[in-house]
């Protein structure tokens, strides 16, 4: 069978999950193409991916949770799938890397889009992963085992769509109040996006941040300049720049996460597979 793993991963953990999955699937004798939506020409143009997506039997959509949802770029890709107005023949699964706080919203939003497109969902997996400025190892042995279990589970049922009752589980938002709070949380989240400052005296115009920004939101003038409207606030530019020219108050990010953990609460279980 032909698999495609289409993913976005500003800070690299979803990419690592993708790599583990790819190895497992290839070892099982299938062909796997992996496509990073945040690299190269794909950042601006999903056209070539949409042209060939139907060649796959199974497509895995991998994204991290950012701001209580699947990361913007994945949502944009799913919208492009919708706008292309084609009939899709492949089956899909989802995988989410996250900090443990979306209360199911990231899955339910994405699964709903796939359902609207009549794309059968065969499974889903959520994996906890560290924040970019926390140097915890990833993937852990537990994560690798979970990914292996996930593949075995969907393979054992011959990649059949999720049964209706299990689908309810996937679509469920764990805390009902999140559905009510969600629009508010989103507005507050937008307002609390952290400022990203380019320090002109440190920037050597090397272009690393331009190359690595997953949405192509940075251009090089005399120094790097961020286009506010395009920026998705993943803060990867601050990680990519080794000259310390991109400043983000990460301690505020930690405070915000702590607050979200208190308001929303952590998902339980943190790691899970659905099939
Ligand atoms: C700006 C930002 C916002 C985030 N928002 C959430 C969130 O709302 N819920 C959550 O569970 N994790 C959240 N996370 C944690 C990420 O989902 C987690 O670090 C993930 O591993 C990132 O994936 P990546 O390394 O592929 O970019 C956030 C991380 C960042 C940097």
């Amino acid at each position: 069978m032909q698999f495609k793993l289409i993913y976005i991963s500003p800070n690299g953990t979803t990419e690592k999950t993708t790599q583990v999955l790819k190895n497992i699937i290839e070892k099982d004798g299938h062909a796997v193409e992996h496509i990073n939506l945040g690299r190269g020409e794909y950042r601006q143009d999903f056209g070539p991916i949409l042209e060939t997506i139907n060649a796959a039997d199974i497509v895995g959509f991998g994204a991290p949770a950012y701001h209580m949802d699947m990361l913007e770029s994945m949502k944009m890709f799913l919208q492009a799938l919708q706008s292309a107005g084609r009939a899709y023949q492949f089956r899909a699964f989802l995988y989410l890397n996250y900090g443990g706080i979306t209360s199911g919203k990231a899955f339910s939003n994405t699964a709903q889009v796939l359902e609207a497109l009549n794309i059968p969902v065969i499974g889903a997996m959520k994996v906890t992963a560290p924040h970019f400025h926390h140097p915890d190892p990833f993937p852990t042995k537990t994560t690798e085992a979970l990914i292996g279990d996930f593949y075995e589970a969907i393979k054992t049922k011959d990649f059949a769509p999720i049964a209706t009752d299990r689908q309810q589980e996937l679509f469920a938002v764990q805390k009902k109040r999140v559905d009510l709070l969600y629009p508010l949380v989103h507005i507050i989240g937008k307002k609390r996006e952290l400022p990203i400052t380019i320090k002109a005296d440190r920037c050597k115009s090397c272009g690393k941040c331009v190359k690595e920004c997953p949405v192509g939101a940075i251009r090089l003038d005399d120094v790097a300049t961020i286009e506010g409207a395009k920026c998705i606030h993943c803060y990867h530019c601050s990680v990519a720049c080794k000259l310390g020219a991109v400043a983000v108050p990460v301690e505020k990010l930690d405070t915000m996460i702590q607050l979200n953990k208190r308001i929303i609460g952590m998902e339980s279980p943190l790691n899970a597979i659905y099939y």
Side-chain angles (χ1 to χ4, degrees), residues 7-17 62-69 71 96-103 106 127-133 138 185 193-194 214 232-236 253 256-257 260-261 264-267 270:
Y7 68 99
I8 174 79
S9 182
N11 288 301
T13 63
T14 313
E15 179 148 55
K16 288 180 181 161
T17 303
Y66 275 63
H67 313 296
M68 292 285 287
D69 206 341
L71 182 61
L96 174 77
N97 271 38
Y98 79 140
I101 357 162
T102 82
S103 197
V127 176
T128 42
H131 269 277
F132 63 87
H133 59 102
F138 186 86
V185 170
E193 279 170 349
L194 302 172
I232 53 169
H233 289 86
C234 66
Y235 311 118
H236 178 65
L253 188 61
M256 215 144 73
I257 293 164
N260 282 347
K261 279 184 183 167
I264 309 295
M266 300 290 277
E267 289 195 29
L270 284 173

Side-chain angles (χ1 to χ4, degrees), residues 109-169:
N109 285 353
T110 313
Q112 270 165 27
V113 178
L114 296 176
E115 191 180 52
L117 289 168
N118 289 321
I119 297 172
V121 178
I122 62 171
M125 165 174 64
K126 59 183 184 186
V127 176
T128 42
H131 269 277
F132 63 87
H133 59 102
H134 288 262
D136 310 350
F138 186 86
T140 59
K141 289 272 170 251
T142 314
T143 313
E144 284 180 346
L146 182 86
I147 299 169
D149 289 349
F150 174 66
Y151 180 71
E152 272 313 306
I154 56 174
K155 180 188 163 184
T156 304
K157 60 165 193 161
D158 209 12
F159 306 105
I162 296 189
T164 317
D165 52 337
R166 302 215 93 180
Q167 205 167 7
Q168 294 311 324
E169 219 181 301

